Amino acid sequence: MKTNDIIYKHREKVKYISILMFGVGITMAYFYYGIEPHETIGGFLCGLGLGLFLIYFAIKKSENNN
């Protein structure tokens, strides 16, 4: 089983995890604005969540797998 197929199989989980990470990142960056380690971690979580959300939209079902 390819990675593509595994991600496609668990698509809904990827969507919910990415939205959760994005929300936690925004909340952390907002409440800890100016406090450097927390602000950086919040920005990292926002970027990772957004990237996973883009993967959720871009992933397609494999042609050779029904």
Side-chain angles (χ1 to χ4, degrees), residues 25 28-33 35-45:
M28 186 179 282
Y30 179 76
F31 285 116
Y32 292 107
Y33 182 75
I35 302 172
E36 188 47 44
H38 293 88
E39 190 177 3
T40 302
I41 293 169
F44 177 75
L45 287 174

Side-chain angles (χ1 to χ4, degrees), residues 17-54:
I17 289 171
S18 67
I19 290 171
L20 179 69
M21 288 175 67
F22 192 69
V24 167
I26 287 174
T27 305
M28 186 179 282
Y30 179 76
F31 285 116
Y32 292 107
Y33 182 75
I35 302 172
E36 188 47 44
H38 293 88
E39 190 177 3
T40 302
I41 293 169
F44 177 75
L45 287 174
C46 282
L48 197 60
L50 184 64
L52 281 174
F53 200 64
L54 290 174

